[in-house]
Amino acid sequence: MPRYFMELLTRSPQRFGTLLALIGVLVLTPDTLVIRLSGLERWALMGWRGILMGAMSLLLWRLLLTRNASREWRSLASWQGVLVITAFSMNSATFTLGIVETSATVVLTAVATMPIFAAILSYFMLGERQGWLGWLAITAAMGGVVVVVLDGGNAIGSPEGSVLLGGIFGVLTAAGLALTFTMARKYNDLGILPAAALGAMISGIVGLILSDLNSITDVPLWSILTMGLIILPVSFTCLNLAPRYTSAAIVSLLMLLEMVIGPFWVWLGVGEQPTIIMMAGAGFVALVLGVHILRTQWFTNS
């Protein structure tokens, strides 16, 4: 680990975690654009993304990010390990299927509901209660997602699949990520990085099994290598480590950047343009969740 990061970790673990999350989100933002440029069908896309991300994530974990590989590996046999593997396998699959199905803005807005699921899971797993303002924010944010989904069919240049199904896939992705981050926060001894890597590989194996031979072999090499070896392993390694040092709420807040920047890259790269109503709905979701997280995590601790 570079010297600056080691010094930051020693001086301020919370800032270190926030920086990790920020790096992870910024690296992740071009992912949707690369998916669009690849032109791959859904199963082959899911297969290559999962296999390559899982393999590279395991390599990064083993070479750079573990001091006791055998202990972390054994932790995967626990129910916590199996749950994280399953959750990450699900969100790896559902995000890919959602982006192929419909507008990037619809899916990424749905994924931005992750703080909602984090709040619910924190209530049951960590005993953290939500006041009436918290539940009001959750309800308002879900209303904004509904607005985006209802107008999603009017987006210009987006895939002509089911907007509702794409939104559901995005919500399932949010739930899987929230569970992964909450588990990382609650169980410090759990090998969260190898668990996420195995989950990604499982989704990749399923994708390759469901693909036909031509779609597996006839792929734009640059796109799958960029996604599988750089964007996904680097971003999710940072994002999965961040809750160990800072709150899951801060990670969730920074994840909202993907909802803003991701569709922007797609708009610039392939001309996929959300409607004014979709942009307003997405902006409303970002505003509501951002204010809620700042209110509960910043001002209450200041």
Side-chain angles (χ1 to χ4, degrees), residues 163-241:
V163 175
L164 177 59
L165 184 58
I168 291 172
F169 280 139
V171 169
L172 290 174
T173 303
L177 287 172
L179 179 57
T180 300
F181 293 157
T182 306
M183 294 290 286
R185 181 181 171 194
K186 182 175 176 63
Y187 299 104
N188 289 326
D189 293 331
L190 178 63
I192 198 75
L193 295 183
L198 286 180
M201 293 185 76
I202 290 171
S203 71
I205 291 170
V206 172
L208 291 181
I209 290 173
L210 295 175
S211 303
D212 61 68
L213 184 60
N214 288 334
S215 64
I216 294 175
T217 56
D218 185 18
V219 297
L221 194 61
W222 74 270
S223 63
I224 62 170
L225 293 180
T226 301
M227 288 184 284
L229 299 184
I230 301 174
I231 293 176
L232 294 175
V234 172
S235 62
F236 279 103
T237 294
C238 292
L239 288 169
N240 286 325
L241 281 176

